[in-house]
Amino acid sequence: MADVVSRKTTILQQSASTIPASTSSAATNATPPGTFVTTVAAAMILLGVATPLPAANAACLPGDLRPECIGVYKVPMDDQILPYVGTKEALQKFAPDLEYVPPMEAPKSLPLAIDLLQAQQVAAKDVQQKISAGKLEEAGVEVLKLIPQLTSSGRYIVSTIDSRLAGGGTSGNVGIVDELKKNMIENQLNTAIALWGECDVMIGQGMRGDMGVSAAAQIQILSSLREACSALDDFIVNASTLLEST
């Protein structure tokens, strides 16, 4: 888990430090760039849910599909930060430089959550094809769509597994093995989300030319995509197995 947290920290630092200063102001025509990150990051630090973020000039909410959001810092949409960004009114008060995107609703059922995750496997293949064809922006937008779906559906499935294991599953007994299963599936989801976040950052860097010529960028991004796709596949397989056995 420490490796995942470390990778996430690196991803946030990369996305926060490589965005041109003109991106945020051009996209919003509102307050100076960086206002949102300063406001929300401060709130998160006071709440104890984050450490200070590096200086940043742009940020987006998850689900914002504008090309300028590719590779940009994404605000975590958890219960503690949601009051600051969950409505247009709150966003206007705390982060007027940010584009409002309604929070993604959790799936209504377990079958729907599984279907949505499997649809992301198909989307992942499409992302790889677009990168291979040099269509970095199109691929980046697909990743912007994929990550919120993975996060929402994945959390629903993990929550369902946690509830079943907490109740002892079919046997009614909760033990060390069940705790290990719970930790494993949570770690696999976090790993998958982190790796797809890394792909988002790398695509953004490739679009800006930070990774050298296009061919070199494509090779590096495809390598990360293979790892992210593998993590997604592993999570779906192991989650399905746990759901069948609990």
Side-chain angles (χ1 to χ4, degrees):
M1 185 62 184
D3 291 340
V4 174
V5 173
S6 176
R7 294 191 72 165
K8 282 188 173 183
T9 301
T10 301
I11 290 166
L12 295 183
Q13 290 172 339
Q14 289 175 332
S15 61
S17 63
T18 57
I19 305 303
S22 60
T23 303
S24 178
S25 57
T28 59
N29 294 320
T31 55
T35 300
F36 168 74
V37 174
T38 302
T39 303
V40 175
M44 293 173 69
I45 294 164
L46 289 173
L47 288 168
V49 297
T51 54
L53 293 170
N57 293 319
C60 289
L61 291 179
D64 192 336
L65 305 182
R66 293 174 298 155
E68 53 262 43
C69 289
I70 299 170
V72 173
Y73 171 73
K74 307 300 188 299
V75 182
M77 297 293 281
D78 54 35
D79 292 339
Q80 288 139 318
I81 205 65
L82 200 58
Y84 297 94
V85 298
T87 65
K88 287 184 178 180
E89 293 75 18
L91 193 68
Q92 182 61 32
K93 179 179 180 181
F94 292 104
D97 58 326
L98 199 67
E99 186 82 9
Y100 176 73
V101 178
M104 178 168 289
E105 295 184 2
K108 301 296 185 182
S109 66
L110 182 59
L112 178 57
I114 294 173
D115 287 346
L116 288 171
L117 271 187
Q118 291 173 339
Q120 303 321 303
Q121 289 179 299
V122 177
K125 300 297 183 184
D126 188 47
V127 171
Q128 289 179 304
Q129 292 175 358
K130 283 182 167 59
I131 293 296
S132 296
K135 301 177 181 179
L136 301 190
E137 182 175 303
E138 291 183 23
V141 172
E142 289 299 316
V143 173
L144 293 180
K145 296 177 185 177
L146 185 151
I147 293 176
Q149 292 285 2
L150 167 60
T151 303
S152 177
S153 299
R155 286 177 178 171
Y156 184 95
I157 290 172
V158 167
S159 177
T160 300
I161 292 172
D162 286 352
S163 297
R164 291 185 181 182
L165 291 175
T170 56
S171 65
N173 297 316
V174 181
I176 295 176
V177 173
D178 288 335
E179 284 297 321
L180 291 174
K181 290 178 180 177
K182 174 182 175 181
N183 292 336
M184 177 199 71
I185 202 64
E186 288 178 349
N187 288 342
Q188 285 190 327
L189 175 61
N190 290 334
T191 297
I193 293 171
L195 289 174
W196 279 103
E198 181 179 313
C199 291
D200 173 38
V201 170
M202 292 185 71
I203 293 171
Q205 292 173 337
M207 289 171 57
R208 294 188 299 273
D210 296 341
M211 301 172 69
V213 297
S214 179
Q218 289 170 252
I219 292 172
Q220 294 180 65
I221 295 168
L222 284 170
S223 177
S224 291
L225 279 172
R226 283 192 291 271
E227 194 175 356
C229 288
S230 178
L232 173 59
D233 294 343
D234 288 345
F235 172 73
I236 293 175
V237 169
N238 290 319
S240 298
T241 299
L242 283 176
L243 288 169
E244 291 174 1
S245 62
T246 56

